[in-house]
Amino acid sequence: MRATKSRAGLVLLAAVALGVTAAAVPAAAADYERVLNGTFSGGTLDPWWAGAGTTGRVAGGEFCTDVPGGTANGYDALAGQNGVPFEAGQPYTLTFDAHATSTQQISAVAGEAVSPYRQISRTDLTVTPSTQHFTVTFSSTLDFPAAGNGQLAFWFGGQAAANTVCLDNISLVGGVVPPGGLPPTSGIRVNQESYVPGLPKRATLISDSTSPLTWTLKNAAGSAVATGRTTPRGADAASGENVHEIDFSAYDTAGTGYTLSVGSETSFPFAISADALQKLRQDSLAFFYHQRSGIAIDAVYVGAAYARPAGHVNVAPNQGDDNVPCRSDLNCGYTLDVRGGWYDAGDHGKYVVNGGIAAWELLDEYERALRLGDASALGDGKLAIPERANGVPDILDEARWEVDFLLEMQVPDGKPQAGMVHHKIHDAQWTSLPTRPDQDSQPRRLSPPSTAATLNMAAVAAQASRLWRTIDPAYSAKLLAAAEKAYTAAKANPNVLADPNDGTGGGTYSDNTVSDEFYWAAAELFTTTGKSGYRADVTGSALYRGKSFTTHGFDWASTGALGDITLAVVPTDLPATDVAAIRTAVTTTADSHLAQMASMGYPAPYRTADGSYEWGSNGLVANNGVVLALAYDFTKQDKYRGGAFAAMDYLLGRNPANYSYVSGHGDQPVTNVHHRFWAHQLDASLPTAPPGALSGGPNSGLQDPTAARLLAGCAPQRCFVDDIQAYSVNEVAINWNSALAWLAGWTAEKSSSTVDTTAPTAPGTPVVSAVSSGGATLTWTAAADPESGVKSYDVVRVTGSARTVLATVTGPTASLTGLSPSTAYTVVVVARNGAGLASPDSPAAQFTTQPATPAGGCQVTYAANTWNGGFTATATLKNTGTTAWTNWKLGFTFPGNQKVTQGWSATWAQSGADVTAAAMPWNGSVAPGQSVAIGFNGSYTGTNPNPSAFTVDGRACA
């Protein structure tokens, strides 16, 4: 949960033809206020913005804008507010106070914020150094709903000299539709993804009836397969609705397309399946690869829509993360290379205390499966990530991307506070929506070290050390050394707290209590090392024996329970009675959740003292689902398993908002999460959220302007809107997704499987590319298998009646190697599902490998990620000869009008269409069989075809 959040991005009203001018106000005008924060009394501009080239600020309780001189048009310098609702035919009265350093004309403009920029009203006014009160009246000619594309703007441009214009007491009154609130609801809320055979299956009906009603379960063909009577629940405080419960647990026939109906109400379709949650397990973990900093996100793993260049690797316009200084007021005297890690949320910050719990949950998901469950689904080759074939479980590979970043944040030896860990690194100022990571031009800054961050690193590094002990002993030792150094530094600096006011450009993540972090770190270090000093710190803590478990739940600021989970799962020499006490604390907390859920119309393991819902409530629901899951692990009592699955039901659609809060899962999933790259709502060329991202969820605080505008008066569980600007309810974050991933992994494991007798469908026709003398790349349309899911693909060479498997992969692409030169191949692809059943053959594809490359030969693989007017290209040069290269030089010719704008890992030059890239001192030596990767950013107009031929040192390459 974030302590301070980012401002939404700016969408500006551009030049338009003059529209309707001020008109008289009919007598029937309503008194609804349509703008937010018109008095600026809180000292903030939100949701007002200042346009490009201007600087806006709150000064003396007014919104003052510094306006440049020499602009040609009024709209060349402007300020305003987006999402303002207007209703066609309705009257409005705009009032405001204004003054300026020098007398000038301004324009008050109501209209549309995006193309075609239609105008409702424009009124030209003269402001002077003396404050004046202005009143403008007009009737709207357009309809814009709340949080739509309506805009109120003030134009300041078209003046010869620079000036400062200040506005205050801005009010826009009118219209007949009441502001805020959600419309009345009806219908049936279900888990939109899947219910599991053999487990409880419940749904919620909204109805004022005090008598039971008849429900019907229908299959995909519309035939009734079960019926029963609802149980009236009456008024439900969390949702503000009158509800009934539908219990259809007795029906267990697997299938898809089921619906529930009561009278005229029908639910979204859903499945009954033992295996539908398997994909959610993978997607929730795939989220973290998408969030990686410091590496290009490759279309091979995520698809073309989600591919992007590496962010913050010191390639312009990035200022990069390889030499980040401390904040200017700190004077720490060093820079750190903090490339890598995960972007925390919808912004580009990286925060140790949130990265700590997120990495811990991924590591714990694996460790718990090793100790208490089945870790086979978390092994190598299970995730679509670059490390998927390195012999290490993929979930550990993904966690390592963050763990290594946490180590990078440690203060170097010989510096003040050596061994402590910097709290965070992020931009000097908030970036706007949308901003892809590689396009972030803000300076990057380290915030001071904190005790909380230091203990987070110590805990996670100690945990990771024991998991890597047999995988990579050297890395394990490195982790443990860093963890022990950090713990020692934290004990020497026990009360260095993060500044709650350090919220410019990134969240504060301030935490005034660190006794829980001390307990967590000591528990991890003791479990890993068995040392008596750490044991004493654990048993001597006031939090020992499960005192951290509460019905509110654990999160980034409350981490004591993490230490207890480790002590309850991983064997140590602690007294058995003490371990039993920790496990009892887990089951006692779980019982409290179940008791509360039994009284809820939309059961969720979530509780606050006043019944409100907090920022990131869905993350707490998932973490409390973890507690219910562990209670089942410890006792094998079905009630706890049912509670954990009920938490998943809530997240996947059985909630008052009627959304699946997980993108890509369910019939009405969130799509417009607050994110600077998954920003399709603001830029149609950008994607929506990929499958598996968990929205923060309902938040009674309405701590952003869009939520405040749309959700005034909402009941706690209904304080949600799927809007990219509503960051306090719809942002994503690594700690929320790590909780979802843990729970999704557990529920997938605990879904009782049925026998699958249906083979997958045939894959699509393979498309062949990158053919060389010894290899080729094949891609194909994925097969489908709704029962057990497609687990692997065999690429099979067919020669008459003979069949030879050339490769086995987990996704719809394969890079073949070891082929014979100058040889014709006919290949098909066969899919296999989780039950081991094979699909029919795909249609065949034919290709012929190239002739053998002579000694001293080369091979070049070129790939481009293209967007509108620009692209990022990578070239991999492989020495296929028998002698080493000592100072290579690549050459190729662009087939179009492409230009290299900036390159890396080589000295790039271009003359006309001809491009050369010469080796750097550190990568000029390439042994036979080895490769070197280089790349560049480029521009183009028209199309961007790839070069067709390459040379290395003047020799043509495959």
Side-chain angles (χ1 to χ4, degrees):
M1 183 175 68
R2 299 289 294 277
T4 301
K5 276 313 306 159
S6 52
R7 291 177 54 192
L10 312 183
V11 182
L12 307 184
L13 181 64
V16 292
L18 293 185
V20 180
T21 57
V25 182
D31 289 332
Y32 294 139
E33 179 59 66
R34 299 306 187 181
V35 296
L36 301 175
N37 189 27
T39 64
F40 312 101
S41 57
T44 177
L45 291 181
D46 282 345
W48 298 90
W49 45 258
T54 65
T55 301
R57 65 190 186 283
V58 175
E62 299 178 321
F63 177 13
C64 294
T65 304
D66 296 327
V67 181
T71 56
N73 306 291
Y75 49 75
D76 291 336
L78 73 170
Q81 182 174 135
N82 295 333
V84 179
F86 292 104
E87 302 160 53
Q90 295 303 316
Y92 295 85
T93 300
L94 168 66
T95 59
F96 61 96
D97 299 333
H99 64 90
T101 302
S102 303
T103 298
Q104 75 158 83
Q105 177 181 295
I106 68 171
S107 301
V109 184
E112 188 171 23
V114 298
S115 179
Y117 306 110
R118 294 169 295 173
Q119 221 173 71
I120 294 170
S121 169
R122 169 180 167 179
T123 303
D124 297 331
L125 305 161
T126 299
V127 294
T128 68
S130 298
T131 299
Q132 301 176 80
H133 182 73
F134 294 97
T135 299
V136 176
T137 58
F138 60 91
S139 290
S140 180
T141 56
L142 301 173
D143 270 311
F144 291 118
N149 290 324
Q151 183 186 79
L152 176 65
F154 294 90
W155 294 1
F156 305 135
Q159 308 297 313
N163 202 3
T164 297
V165 181
C166 296
L167 306 172
D168 197 7
N169 299 318
I170 306 171
S171 171
L172 180 67
V173 172
V176 295
V177 177
L182 289 169
T185 61
S186 59
I188 301 169
R189 308 294 192 247
V190 297
N191 177 333
Q192 299 172 19
E193 182 87 342
S194 178
Y195 293 92
V196 176
L199 294 182
K201 303 174 197 68
R202 299 186 177 101
T204 300
L205 166 72
I206 303 167
S207 173
D208 290 332
S209 173
T210 58
S211 301
L213 301 172
T214 299
W215 59 261
T216 303
L217 177 66
K218 297 179 181 178
N219 62 19
S223 300
V225 294
T227 189
R229 300 282 281 174
T230 66
T231 300
R233 292 280 190 181
D236 178 57
S239 67
E241 298 168 347
N242 290 303
V243 299
H244 291 219
E245 181 179 87
I246 300 172
D247 190 336
F248 59 108
S249 301
Y251 189 83
D252 268 342
T253 302
T256 60
Y258 287 106
T259 57
L260 281 167
S261 61
V262 176
S264 62
E265 302 293 347
T266 300
S267 73
F268 280 119
F270 55 87
I272 298 176
S273 169
D275 299 298
L277 291 174
Q278 309 302 318
K279 187 174 188 302
L280 178 57
R281 168 165 52 192
Q282 305 306 313
D283 287 347
S284 59
L285 289 170
F287 170 89
F288 295 93
Y289 176 65
H290 285 278
Q291 289 290 98
R292 285 190 189 185
S293 176
I295 187 175
I297 305 306
D298 198 321
V300 170
Y301 308 111
V302 299
Y306 294 101
R308 59 171 174 81
H312 301 97
V313 290
N314 289 60
V315 176
N318 283 169
Q319 300 192 32
D321 282 357
D322 71 347
N323 56 346
V324 181
C326 293
R327 242 177 33 210
S328 59
D329 59 309
L330 300 180
N331 264 344
C332 65
Y334 56 85
T335 64
L336 292 182
D337 184 344
V338 292
R339 286 172 290 181
W342 299 318
Y343 296 120
D344 177 71
D347 60 293
H348 300 143
K350 298 185 290 190
Y351 309 86
V352 169
V353 296
N354 218 37
I357 187 174
W360 182 90
E361 286 201 89
L362 264 62
L363 295 171
D364 185 72
E365 179 179 352
Y366 180 73
E367 188 164 43
R368 175 257 151 213
L370 280 178
R371 300 285 181 178
L372 304 176
D374 179 7
S376 61
L378 302 172
D380 191 31
K382 299 300 184 181
L383 297 179
I385 58 175
E387 303 86 357
R388 64 183 176 184
N390 66 353
V392 178
D394 286 345
I395 193 170
L396 298 187
D397 283 322
E398 189 58 66
R400 181 171 180 168
W401 195 261
E402 179 70 9
V403 173
D404 286 345
F405 160 74
L406 299 180
L407 267 61
E408 292 167 356
M409 294 287 280
Q410 194 163 30
V411 176
D413 291 342
K415 302 297 182 183
Q417 295 183 309
M420 293 285 282
V421 175
H422 285 271
H423 197 70
K424 56 181 182 168
I425 176 260
H426 56 66
D427 293 325
Q429 299 291 330
W430 289 109
T431 55
S432 63
L433 287 171
T435 303
R436 202 173 59 188
D438 60 294
Q439 296 299 309
D440 176 9
S441 61
Q442 282 287 326
R444 307 281 275 177
R445 296 291 182 262
L446 292 164
S447 287
S450 72
T451 305
T454 304
L455 292 166
N456 265 259
M457 191 274 265
V460 173
Q463 175 197 35
S465 176
R466 65 176 177 268
L467 291 173
W468 262 273
R469 187 175 288 151
T470 58
I471 297 171
D472 186 341
Y475 181 57
S476 173
K478 173 186 175 181
L479 290 167
L480 184 56
E484 294 197 290
K485 179 189 294 185
Y487 190 75
T488 299
K491 294 193 80 171
N493 299 274
N495 200 35
V496 179
L497 304 180
D499 181 0
N501 297 311
D502 183 14
T504 301
T508 60
Y509 282 109
S510 59
D511 182 3
N512 292 330
T513 302
V514 295
S515 57
D516 51 328
E517 281 85 3
F518 270 110
Y519 180 69
W520 173 33
E524 299 295 348
L525 282 160
F526 166 65
T527 303
T528 299
T529 69
K531 290 182 179 180
S532 59
Y534 301 130
R535 189 184 199 279
D537 286 351
V538 169
T539 59
S541 171
L543 300 179
Y544 186 44
R545 292 167 54 99
K547 299 300 191 300
S548 296
F549 286 100
T550 69
T551 52
H552 181 267
F554 58 86
D555 59 16
W556 67 266
S558 301
T559 58
L562 309 185
D564 273 328
I565 290 171
T566 291
L567 297 174
V569 170
V570 184
T572 66
D573 67 356
L574 289 176
T577 54
D578 288 358
V579 175
I582 296 172
R583 291 189 168 197
T584 297
V586 171
T587 56
T588 299
T589 304
D591 284 332
S592 182
H593 285 312
L594 293 178
Q596 181 198 22
M597 292 166 70
S599 68
M600 299 178 72
Y602 300 91
Y606 181 87
R607 186 182 303 175
T608 58
D610 61 359
S612 63
Y613 272 55
E614 299 174 353
W615 200 319
S617 63
N618 281 344
L620 284 166
V621 168
N623 278 334
N624 289 329
V626 170
V627 173
L628 288 159
L630 288 169
Y632 178 81
D633 282 341
F634 298 155
T635 68
K636 296 299 184 283
Q637 293 186 40
D638 288 346
K639 64 179 181 178
Y640 299 125
R641 182 179 61 179
F645 275 87
M648 192 64 82
D649 290 345
Y650 172 84
L651 296 175
L652 291 171
R654 190 189 175 192
N655 56 65
N658 205 22
Y659 273 95
S660 167
Y661 288 125
V662 183
S663 59
H665 288 264
D667 285 86
Q668 184 166 273
V670 293
T671 57
N672 300 314
V673 301
H674 181 80
H675 197 276
R676 280 159 174 73
F677 176 44
W678 308 331
H680 184 80
Q681 188 178 6
L682 298 179
D683 183 341
S685 70
L686 296 176
T688 58
L694 177 66
S695 166
N699 174 12
S700 308
L702 306 181
Q703 290 154 287
D704 68 78
T706 297
R709 189 193 304 279
L710 290 177
L711 302 172
C714 56
Q717 278 189 341
R718 296 194 68 212
C719 294
F720 177 80
V721 60
D722 183 28
D723 190 289
I724 192 171
Q725 304 280 14
Y727 48 82
S728 70
V729 300
N730 205 32
E731 191 169 27
V732 294
I734 54 176
N735 63 317
W736 305 333
N737 241 80
S738 62
L740 173 68
W742 197 110
L743 185 59
W746 189 91
T747 53
E749 178 190 295
K750 298 304 178 186
S751 298
S752 54
S753 185
T754 55
V755 177
D756 182 0
T757 59
T758 304
T761 61
T765 304
V767 177
V768 184
S769 62
V771 179
S772 66
S773 60
T777 298
L778 274 64
T779 58
W780 56 87
T781 302
D785 190 288
E787 290 83 12
S788 1
V790 175
K791 301 303 181 185
S792 64
Y793 296 91
D794 292 336
V795 179
V796 182
R797 182 184 184 187
V798 180
T799 309
S801 60
R803 296 168 67 89
T804 304
V805 176
L806 300 178
T808 299
V809 295
T810 57
T813 184
S815 296
L816 305 182
T817 59
L819 305 184
S820 300
S822 303
T823 302
Y825 285 82
T826 298
V827 296
V828 297
V829 179
V830 178
R832 291 187 182 277
N833 67 9
L837 301 174
S839 73
D841 288 353
S842 73
Q846 293 83 30
F847 65 93
T848 300
T849 53
Q850 295 184 1
T853 305
C858 52
Q859 177 180 309
V860 176
T861 303
Y862 179 97
N865 180 25
T866 301
W867 60 92
N868 188 19
F871 65 104
T872 295
T874 57
T876 302
L877 288 58
K878 183 176 182 180
N879 183 347
T880 58
T882 58
T883 59
W885 299 344
T886 58
N887 192 21
W888 51 264
K889 185 174 183 179
L890 172 71
F892 61 87
T893 301
F894 278 132
N897 60 0
Q898 299 99 322
K899 299 292 183 185
V900 174
T901 57
Q902 181 162 16
W904 54 90
S905 300
T907 301
W908 292 86
Q910 182 171 353
S911 176
D914 296 328
V915 179
T916 60
M920 305 293 285
W922 51 270
N923 65 359
S925 178
V926 183
Q930 299 300 305
S931 301
V932 61
I934 61 177
F936 64 92
N937 290 328
S939 63
Y940 72 98
T941 57
T943 61
N944 182 31
N946 291 347
S948 58
F950 300 87
T951 63
V952 170
D953 297 332
R955 188 184 188 98
C957 299

